[in-house]
Amino acid sequence: MNFLEQRILTDGIVKTGHVLKVDSFLNHQMDIALMDRIGEEFYRRFGDKAITKVLTIESSGIAIACSVARCFGVPVVCARKTKNINIDGDIYVAEVESVEHRQSKVVVGKKFLSSADHVLIVDDFLANGYTLQGLISLVEVADATVEGLGIAIEKGFQEGGKRMRNLGYHLESLAIVEELDETTGEIVFR
Amino acid sequence: MNFLEQRILTDGIVKTGHVLKVDSFLNHQMDIALMDRIGEEFYRRFGDKAITKVLTIESSGIAIACSVARCFGVPVVCARKTKNINIDGDIYVAEVESVEHRQSKVVVGKKFLSSADHVLIVDDFLANGYTLQGLISLVEVADATVEGLGIAIEKGFQEGGKRMRNLGYHLESLAIVEELDETTGEIVFR
């Protein structure tokens, strides 16, 4: 069992609807030492790739992305969920199917991704993979290279991780949750 | 002229509507070395206070907040702009007047702020100060102590900074922009 799985067992809380709350250390309150350890672990797993950018999406992926990017010595590019006034009109857009089957958009400024870029995509959670697919689309439409996908917590009982691996992406999830028992609060890792 | 002012002069772009775009290094693409330097500078300015939490708001304050919190060895608490399914019902709420004079809300989980906390509030921009006022309200309703306000870029021609200083808060802005000339692109600091 690794450091993140250990922390999830200690401080994670199982809620109804297959929700795993990690808000005391990962996304609402953030333990910076843990973020840095996650960053170092992704550097260990992807450090042989010549990463030029770490791409994430607002907002809960940002803290992890910053710790990863520090290890690689590269910038973070933060995609946004809707078109923002402060982003130039010159943007790449990807449609994202949300959980409620409504379409939403992720966008990134064109000047921040180019064909010269080798991108590590980072996020806190992977469940159905719709958001991750949107980020991959942004990289591919920019003609940049997806070098890997770094996820803190994958919900192994949803199909996102399987789909990404089947598509041939190098996906590394630090903790893969296989079961969340809403009655006992038990968390089972793959 | 300090390192942030220097960087703004080099890479900031003035747009119509008194907009200063710093998206190539501060909030859309993020230069992590710059974030760390900002963190160290806030530590220099607030290091005599016994800070227990760094509070920010999603999403563009998060990267700075993480670098600041690392220096202090404390967690980041990230307030959210609307009630989120992953935040417990037990939340503090503050109303925020937005630029368009519509009301919006900032929320934070009650378990992340207590009367024992000494809070440094951090954000990337200060303009009219409505968001910052909302964050201060969250700290005060939790009966915690606001030890200081750390802002990367203050728009000195808007009233937020003046109001915060008049209210007696210890506000430190690393760059105070006094004028943005939309015609020439010139940026004047206080």
Side-chain angles (χ1 to χ4, degrees), chain B residues 44-57:
Chain B
R44 198 181 67 76
R45 298 189 188 201
F46 293 105
D48 59 325
K49 315 249 171 110
I51 305 296
T52 61
K53 298 271 169 83
V54 172
L55 177 67
T56 191
I57 184 149

Side-chain angles (χ1 to χ4, degrees), chain B residues 172-188:
Chain B
E172 295 278 348
S173 300
L174 301 192
I176 303 179
V177 177
E178 208 59 273
E179 280 178 55
L180 293 172
D181 191 317
E182 301 174 6
T183 319
T184 63
E186 195 191 4
I187 300 165
V188 179

Side-chain angles (χ1 to χ4, degrees), chain A residues 13 15 19-21 23-25 27-32 35-36 53 58-60 62-63 65-67 69-70 74-80 85-88 91 107-109 111-112, chain B residues 13 15 19-21 23-25 27-32 35-36 53 58-60 62-63 65-67 69-70 74-80 85-88 91 107-109 111-112:
Chain A
I13 298 168
K15 294 274 181 178
V19 171
L20 173 62
K21 280 171 61 71
D23 63 352
S24 67
F25 57 98
N27 47 26
H28 187 24
Q29 178 169 262
M30 300 158 195
D31 177 335
I32 303 300
M35 296 296 159
D36 288 347
K53 298 270 168 85
E58 60 182 5
S59 65
S60 52
I62 296 174
C66 287
S67 286
R70 183 178 292 103
V74 301
V76 168
V77 175
C78 180
R80 291 184 178 157
I85 186 178
N86 287 320
I87 301 184
D88 264 338
I91 52 177
V107 303
V108 72
K111 60 184 171 181
F112 302 129
Chain B
I13 298 168
K15 293 274 181 179
V19 171
L20 173 62
K21 282 172 59 73
D23 63 352
S24 67
F25 58 98
N27 46 27
H28 187 25
Q29 178 168 264
M30 299 160 195
D31 177 336
I32 303 300
M35 297 296 161
D36 287 348
K53 298 271 169 83
E58 59 182 7
S59 65
S60 52
I62 296 174
C66 288
S67 287
R70 183 177 293 102
V74 301
V76 168
V77 175
C78 179
R80 292 186 177 155
I85 186 178
N86 287 320
I87 300 184
D88 263 339
I91 51 176
V107 303
V108 72
K111 59 185 170 180
F112 302 128

